[in-house]
Amino acid sequence: DGNGQLGDGPGYTNTNAPSSTAIDLGTGRTAVAVSAGDEHTCAILDNGDLKCWGHDAYGQLGDGGTTHTANTKTTAPSSTAIDLGTGRTAVAVSAGQSHTCAILDNGDLKCWGRDNDGQLGDGGSSSTTYAPSSTAIDLGTGRTAVAVSAGNAHTCAILDNGDLKCWGEDILGQLGIGGTPSPHRRTTPPSTAIDLGTGRTAVAVSASEGAHTCAILDNGNIKCWGRNNQGELGDGTTSHNNSTPTSTGSLGAGRTAVSVGTGAYHTCAILDNGEAKCWGYDAYGQLGD
């Protein structure tokens, strides 16, 4: 709780068990979705409001203001929700390392916070944004977002047609677009979607706190790309990074994935039979094997 990310009010005391008192989201309000970033937390409320708390040095809480320092933080949800635009509510949220992204009820995607590598997708790569822009990210003509994942310094979104696009830092191929762009970043979504294979679309995506990305395809297979020095791509190697999607090893005979999550250097998937499998870095036992 060093930056107030637990949302339990004044003080910065680490807590090793759930409090008997819930986070105060507002009178009569409950939570329907939550995302914990590096040092901040965000929740969508039952009325579609979005609130964030914790570290705010880069504006990742989305509450506006122009004065932010390393010590700028909030220890509890604000009484006022983030301004997503007139009449707009949130249907999905993802808190990254120092930025936050939300899908709105009309399918628009907006991001705010740190933008040093273009992870906000608005065409900039140096400024910090302290609140959602009045203009949504350009995902392509007529396209809307159905899923979003904010990683360390990159962001990925699944579009309403199943296309998958990523932007931000790409020094290790985590955008999945191939090649080695200079200066190793994209500040807006590419016009062409990631090539997931002939006829394949994405149904889930996870952008890691490290530098890799994984997606579940419409056939239940998993493909990953980016950093692979710890085997986090699951392709049986640790010798090279991949800038384009590569299939993971077998999940088991006849098995498919229904959920995927990426840590900094490891990946986990829930399978269609309810089993879980993980691969990658295991120095702290995070693979559970």
Side-chain angles (χ1 to χ4, degrees):
D1 197 31
N3 287 286
Q5 56 264 55
L6 299 190
D8 54 5
Y12 305 97
T13 303
N14 299 335
T15 301
N16 60 15
S19 170
S20 59
T21 305
I23 295 171
D24 183 5
L25 298 172
T27 304
R29 296 274 68 93
T30 56
V32 297
V34 64
S35 181
D38 188 35
E39 295 178 324
H40 74 294
T41 308
C42 297
I44 300 176
L45 310 189
D46 58 311
N47 62 352
D49 281 354
L50 178 60
K51 295 184 176 184
C52 300
W53 54 93
H55 201 207
D56 197 30
Y58 298 101
Q60 56 264 53
L61 302 190
D63 54 7
T66 57
T67 303
H68 289 71
T69 68
N71 293 320
T72 303
K73 57 192 71 170
T74 300
T75 62
S78 170
S79 59
T80 305
I82 294 172
D83 183 3
L84 298 171
T86 304
R88 297 273 68 92
T89 56
V91 298
V93 63
S94 182
Q97 184 186 59
S98 299
H99 73 295
T100 306
C101 296
I103 300 176
L104 311 189
D105 59 307
N106 62 351
D108 281 354
L109 178 61
K110 294 185 176 183
C111 298
W112 55 92
R114 194 174 190 182
D115 197 32
N116 58 312
D117 282 300
Q119 56 264 52
L120 301 189
D122 58 5
S125 60
S126 59
S127 62
T128 296
T129 301
Y130 302 116
S133 170
S134 59
T135 306
I137 295 171
D138 182 4
L139 298 172
T141 304
R143 297 273 68 92
T144 56
V146 298
V148 63
S149 183
N152 181 357
H154 74 294
T155 305
C156 297
I158 299 175
L159 311 189
D160 58 308
N161 62 351
D163 281 353
L164 177 57
K165 295 184 177 183
C166 299
W167 54 92
E169 185 183 51
D170 195 34
I171 193 169
L172 295 172
Q174 57 264 54
L175 301 190
I177 56 179
T180 306
S182 179
H184 309 301
R185 62 174 67 98
R186 278 198 62 93
T187 62
T188 59
S191 57
T192 303
I194 294 171
D195 183 3
L196 298 171
T198 303
R200 297 274 69 92
T201 56
V203 297
V205 63
S206 182
S208 82
E209 280 283 314
H212 75 291
T213 307
C214 293
I216 300 177
L217 311 188
D218 58 307
N219 61 357
N221 288 341
I222 294 178
K223 289 189 175 184
C224 300
W225 52 94
R227 188 205 301 265
N228 194 39
N229 63 320
Q230 299 294 337
E232 54 264 63
L233 301 190
D235 63 358
T237 72
T238 58
S239 59
H240 61 281
N241 304 322
N242 283 313
S243 62
T244 56
T246 180
S247 295
T248 62
S250 174
L251 297 173
R255 296 275 67 91
T256 57
V258 298
S259 180
V260 65
T262 53
Y265 303 102
H266 75 294
T267 305
C268 293
I270 298 175
L271 310 187
D272 59 309
N273 62 351
E275 291 181 352
K277 293 190 175 183
C278 300
W279 54 93
Y281 193 52
D282 197 30
Y284 301 97
Q286 53 265 60
L287 302 190
D289 56 3

